Short mmCIF file of all heavy atoms in Angstrom, two decimals:
data_model
loop_
_atom_site.label_atom_id
_atom_site.label_comp_id
_atom_site.label_asym_id
_atom_site.label_seq_id
_atom_site.Cartn_x
_atom_site.Cartn_y
_atom_site.Cartn_z
N ARG A 124 -26.37 7.94 -2.43
CA ARG A 124 -24.93 7.84 -2.29
C ARG A 124 -24.27 9.07 -2.92
O ARG A 124 -24.09 9.15 -4.12
CB ARG A 124 -24.45 6.56 -2.99
CG ARG A 124 -22.94 6.35 -2.99
CD ARG A 124 -22.39 6.11 -1.60
NE ARG A 124 -21.03 5.60 -1.68
CZ ARG A 124 -20.20 5.54 -0.65
NH1 ARG A 124 -20.60 5.95 0.53
NH2 ARG A 124 -18.99 5.05 -0.78
N ASP A 125 -23.95 10.06 -2.10
CA ASP A 125 -23.34 11.29 -2.60
C ASP A 125 -21.83 11.15 -2.72
O ASP A 125 -21.21 10.28 -2.10
CB ASP A 125 -23.67 12.46 -1.66
CG ASP A 125 -25.12 12.85 -1.72
OD1 ASP A 125 -25.64 13.01 -2.83
OD2 ASP A 125 -25.75 12.97 -0.65
N LEU A 126 -21.24 12.05 -3.51
CA LEU A 126 -19.80 12.08 -3.68
C LEU A 126 -19.33 13.52 -3.50
O LEU A 126 -19.86 14.43 -4.13
CB LEU A 126 -19.41 11.56 -5.07
CG LEU A 126 -17.92 11.45 -5.37
CD1 LEU A 126 -17.64 10.28 -6.33
CD2 LEU A 126 -17.35 12.73 -5.98
N LEU A 127 -18.35 13.72 -2.64
CA LEU A 127 -17.74 15.03 -2.44
C LEU A 127 -16.40 15.05 -3.16
O LEU A 127 -15.52 14.25 -2.86
CB LEU A 127 -17.53 15.31 -0.95
CG LEU A 127 -16.74 16.59 -0.65
CD1 LEU A 127 -17.54 17.83 -1.02
CD2 LEU A 127 -16.34 16.65 0.83
N LEU A 128 -16.27 15.96 -4.13
CA LEU A 128 -15.01 16.14 -4.86
C LEU A 128 -14.38 17.44 -4.39
O LEU A 128 -15.00 18.50 -4.45
CB LEU A 128 -15.27 16.19 -6.36
CG LEU A 128 -14.11 16.65 -7.26
CD1 LEU A 128 -12.89 15.76 -7.10
CD2 LEU A 128 -14.56 16.68 -8.72
N MET A 129 -13.13 17.36 -3.93
CA MET A 129 -12.41 18.54 -3.44
C MET A 129 -11.07 18.66 -4.12
O MET A 129 -10.50 17.68 -4.61
CB MET A 129 -12.21 18.46 -1.93
CG MET A 129 -13.48 18.35 -1.13
SD MET A 129 -13.21 18.59 0.63
CE MET A 129 -12.81 20.34 0.65
N GLN A 130 -10.55 19.92 -4.16
CA GLN A 130 -9.18 20.13 -4.63
C GLN A 130 -8.45 21.07 -3.69
O GLN A 130 -8.91 21.26 -2.57
CB GLN A 130 -9.16 20.57 -6.08
CG GLN A 130 -10.15 21.64 -6.48
CD GLN A 130 -9.76 23.01 -6.01
OE1 GLN A 130 -10.31 23.47 -5.02
NE2 GLN A 130 -8.81 23.65 -6.67
N GLY A 131 -7.31 21.61 -4.10
CA GLY A 131 -6.40 22.18 -3.13
C GLY A 131 -6.49 23.66 -2.83
O GLY A 131 -5.65 24.17 -2.10
N ASN A 132 -7.48 24.37 -3.36
CA ASN A 132 -7.50 25.82 -3.16
C ASN A 132 -8.02 26.27 -1.80
O ASN A 132 -7.75 27.39 -1.38
CB ASN A 132 -8.35 26.49 -4.25
CG ASN A 132 -7.61 26.58 -5.57
OD1 ASN A 132 -7.58 25.62 -6.32
ND2 ASN A 132 -7.01 27.72 -5.85
N LEU A 133 -8.78 25.41 -1.13
CA LEU A 133 -9.31 25.80 0.17
C LEU A 133 -8.23 25.70 1.25
O LEU A 133 -7.16 25.16 1.02
CB LEU A 133 -10.49 24.89 0.54
CG LEU A 133 -11.64 24.85 -0.46
CD1 LEU A 133 -12.74 23.92 0.03
CD2 LEU A 133 -12.19 26.23 -0.74
N THR A 134 -8.52 26.21 2.43
CA THR A 134 -7.56 26.10 3.52
C THR A 134 -7.54 24.66 4.05
O THR A 134 -8.47 23.89 3.83
CB THR A 134 -7.95 27.04 4.68
OG1 THR A 134 -9.21 26.62 5.22
CG2 THR A 134 -8.04 28.48 4.21
N ARG A 135 -6.49 24.33 4.76
CA ARG A 135 -6.39 22.98 5.33
C ARG A 135 -7.53 22.72 6.31
O ARG A 135 -8.12 21.64 6.32
CB ARG A 135 -5.04 22.80 6.03
CG ARG A 135 -4.93 21.44 6.71
CD ARG A 135 -3.64 21.30 7.52
NE ARG A 135 -3.78 20.17 8.43
CZ ARG A 135 -3.47 18.90 8.14
NH1 ARG A 135 -3.02 18.60 6.94
NH2 ARG A 135 -3.63 17.94 9.02
N ALA A 136 -7.85 23.71 7.15
CA ALA A 136 -8.89 23.53 8.16
C ALA A 136 -10.24 23.22 7.52
O ALA A 136 -10.95 22.31 7.96
CB ALA A 136 -8.99 24.77 9.05
N ILE A 137 -10.60 23.96 6.48
CA ILE A 137 -11.89 23.74 5.82
C ILE A 137 -11.87 22.43 5.04
O ILE A 137 -12.87 21.70 4.99
CB ILE A 137 -12.24 24.93 4.92
CG1 ILE A 137 -12.48 26.17 5.76
CG2 ILE A 137 -13.47 24.63 4.07
CD1 ILE A 137 -13.61 26.04 6.76
N THR A 138 -10.75 22.12 4.42
CA THR A 138 -10.62 20.85 3.70
C THR A 138 -10.84 19.68 4.64
O THR A 138 -11.61 18.75 4.34
CB THR A 138 -9.24 20.74 3.05
OG1 THR A 138 -9.06 21.81 2.12
CG2 THR A 138 -9.08 19.42 2.30
N ALA A 139 -10.20 19.72 5.79
CA ALA A 139 -10.35 18.65 6.78
C ALA A 139 -11.79 18.56 7.26
O ALA A 139 -12.36 17.46 7.37
CB ALA A 139 -9.41 18.90 7.95
N SER A 140 -12.39 19.70 7.55
CA SER A 140 -13.76 19.71 8.04
C SER A 140 -14.73 19.13 7.02
O SER A 140 -15.61 18.33 7.37
CB SER A 140 -14.17 21.15 8.38
OG SER A 140 -15.53 21.21 8.76
N CYS A 141 -14.58 19.50 5.75
CA CYS A 141 -15.48 19.01 4.71
C CYS A 141 -15.34 17.50 4.52
O CYS A 141 -16.34 16.78 4.39
CB CYS A 141 -15.19 19.73 3.39
SG CYS A 141 -15.71 21.45 3.36
N LEU A 142 -14.10 17.02 4.50
CA LEU A 142 -13.88 15.58 4.34
C LEU A 142 -14.50 14.81 5.50
O LEU A 142 -15.16 13.78 5.30
CB LEU A 142 -12.39 15.29 4.24
CG LEU A 142 -11.69 15.74 2.95
CD1 LEU A 142 -10.17 15.60 3.09
CD2 LEU A 142 -12.18 14.95 1.75
N GLU A 143 -14.30 15.30 6.71
CA GLU A 143 -14.83 14.61 7.88
C GLU A 143 -16.36 14.63 7.89
O GLU A 143 -17.00 13.62 8.19
CB GLU A 143 -14.28 15.25 9.15
CG GLU A 143 -12.78 15.01 9.34
CD GLU A 143 -12.19 15.92 10.41
OE1 GLU A 143 -12.97 16.68 11.03
OE2 GLU A 143 -10.96 15.86 10.62
#
Side-chain angles (χ1 to χ4, degrees):
R124 177 67 166 166
D125 290 311
L126 184 148
L127 173 68
L128 168 59
M129 301 192 69
Q130 45 75 259
N132 283 82
L133 304 180
T134 64
R135 176 185 164 89
I137 294 300
T138 300
S140 175
C141 288
L142 289 171
E143 291 166 3

